[in-house]
Amino acid sequence: MKQIIIALFIFISTSALFAQRQVRKDIRKGNDAYKEQLYNAAEASYKSALEKNAASPEAIYNLANSYYKQGNWDNALKTYQQYLATENSNQTKMGSAWYNIGNTLLQKKDLKQSMEAYKKALRLNPNDEEARYNLATVQKIIKDQEDNKQDQNKDQNKDQNKDKNKDQNKDQNKDKDQNKDKDQNKDQNKNQDQKQDQQPQMSQENIQQLLKAIEQDEKETQEKVQQIKAADRKQKNDNNRRQNKDW
């Protein structure tokens, strides 16, 4: 019985050692392809290693790097985070993972999250000068963007104020024109009043003279009418006489 257990233990140990060797072999193969910038081939080798040992920190980390080199930012981020879930003791390696996460987020133009990743990298490894430099660069970019945004807001406010002032000036000019028109109307009315005041008023004597003239015209007109009527009557009488005579 003991011999069977010992044999089984040796078999398991041998199988595990063989599998470990295969994992190392796949990783080395992936590293060689990575150095040759054959990132797709490197990805395949690292995945092969993980099929044999899904918890291999080295295979996970290098797979994340191969994703990054291929511009596969989402898979790179996910795989770096997977690495941090397996590596929780070596601060230098963890700092390197956070540094790479910062670079990946920077590629995705997520500046604020990238800045936070660099800060975490420096907390884990304060001697990482590359992380320090990238952090300062991202902070400068963020500040410049905020300053530009403030400048744009100022320019917009200036433009709005200019438009507002233009509208106010238009309204003022409109009011001035209206007031000017009102003044002109007042002046015209005033001139008309002055003209009316300047017109000579008829005296009582003039009025009497005008009435007499009118009466005289009417008298002459009536006399003419009477004369016409008298002439008509005479003509009728003459006609009647002629008719009677002929009879």
Side-chain angles (χ1 to χ4, degrees), residues 238-247:
D238 292 340
N239 291 334
N240 289 332
R241 289 194 199 100
R242 290 192 192 95
Q243 291 174 357
N244 291 335
K245 188 177 180 180
D246 294 339
W247 179 257

Side-chain angles (χ1 to χ4, degrees), residues 95 99 117-119 121-122 125 128-137:
Y99 171 80
Y118 291 134
K119 287 180 179 179
L122 284 170
N125 183 12
D128 191 341
E129 294 301 324
E130 290 180 350
R132 195 181 310 280
Y133 176 82
N134 286 9
L135 174 61
T137 302

Side-chain angles (χ1 to χ4, degrees), residues 6-37:
I6 293 172
L8 184 60
F9 177 77
I10 294 172
F11 175 77
I12 293 173
S13 298
T14 304
S15 298
L17 183 61
F18 177 78
Q20 188 176 358
R21 287 178 179 174
Q22 287 299 114
V23 170
R24 292 300 309 161
K25 181 179 179 180
D26 288 337
I27 291 174
R28 284 195 298 269
K29 184 179 178 180
N31 291 343
D32 290 339
Y34 189 94
K35 290 177 183 177
E36 295 295 328
Q37 299 182 358

Side-chain angles (χ1 to χ4, degrees), residues 113-130:
Q113 291 298 322
S114 176
M115 179 179 67
E116 295 302 322
Y118 291 134
K119 287 180 179 179
K120 289 180 180 179
L122 284 170
R123 291 190 192 104
L124 292 166
N125 183 12
N127 296 323
D128 191 341
E129 294 301 324
E130 290 180 350

Side-chain angles (χ1 to χ4, degrees), residues 77-232:
L77 278 176
K78 183 171 66 176
T79 310
Y80 284 128
Q81 290 166 351
Q82 183 182 352
Y83 170 79
L84 289 169
T86 60
E87 178 59 71
N88 53 16
S89 58
N90 191 320
Q91 290 190 348
T92 301
K93 290 181 178 181
M94 292 169 65
S96 295
W98 277 113
Y99 171 80
N100 289 348
I101 288 174
N103 289 345
T104 306
L105 290 167
L106 187 61
Q107 294 290 346
K108 288 171 65 67
K109 297 180 174 59
D110 191 343
L111 299 180
K112 291 186 177 180
Q113 291 298 322
S114 176
M115 179 179 67
E116 295 302 322
Y118 291 134
K119 287 180 179 179
K120 289 180 180 179
L122 284 170
R123 291 190 192 104
L124 292 166
N125 183 12
N127 296 323
D128 191 341
E129 294 301 324
E130 290 180 350
R132 195 181 310 280
Y133 176 82
N134 286 9
L135 174 61
T137 302
V138 171
Q139 288 175 331
K140 178 71 166 54
I141 294 172
I142 292 173
K143 186 177 183 302
D144 289 343
Q145 287 182 346
E146 290 175 350
D147 291 343
N148 289 335
K149 188 175 181 180
Q150 290 177 355
D151 291 338
Q152 288 176 355
N153 291 334
K154 288 180 181 178
D155 292 338
Q156 288 177 353
N157 291 333
K158 285 181 180 179
D159 292 338
Q160 289 175 354
N161 290 331
K162 284 182 181 178
D163 293 338
K164 187 176 180 181
N165 290 333
K166 286 181 180 178
D167 293 337
Q168 288 177 347
N169 291 332
K170 286 181 181 178
D171 293 338
Q172 289 176 355
N173 292 331
K174 186 177 180 181
D175 293 338
K176 287 181 180 178
D177 292 338
Q178 290 177 348
N179 291 331
K180 187 176 180 181
D181 293 338
K182 288 180 180 177
D183 292 338
Q184 289 178 348
N185 291 332
K186 286 181 179 178
D187 292 338
Q188 290 176 354
N189 293 333
K190 186 176 180 181
N191 291 332
Q192 289 177 355
D193 293 338
Q194 289 175 350
K195 288 178 180 179
Q196 290 174 355
D197 292 339
Q198 291 171 358
Q199 287 178 356
Q201 293 183 354
M202 297 178 68
S203 65
Q204 189 68 24
E205 183 179 357
N206 292 333
I207 293 173
Q208 291 298 328
Q209 290 177 354
L210 181 61
L211 289 173
K212 287 181 179 181
I214 293 172
E215 289 175 356
Q216 184 66 28
D217 289 339
E218 288 180 352
K219 186 177 179 180
E220 291 177 355
T221 300
Q222 288 177 358
E223 290 177 352
K224 288 179 180 179
V225 170
Q226 292 298 327
Q227 291 175 358
I228 293 170
K229 287 181 177 180
D232 288 340

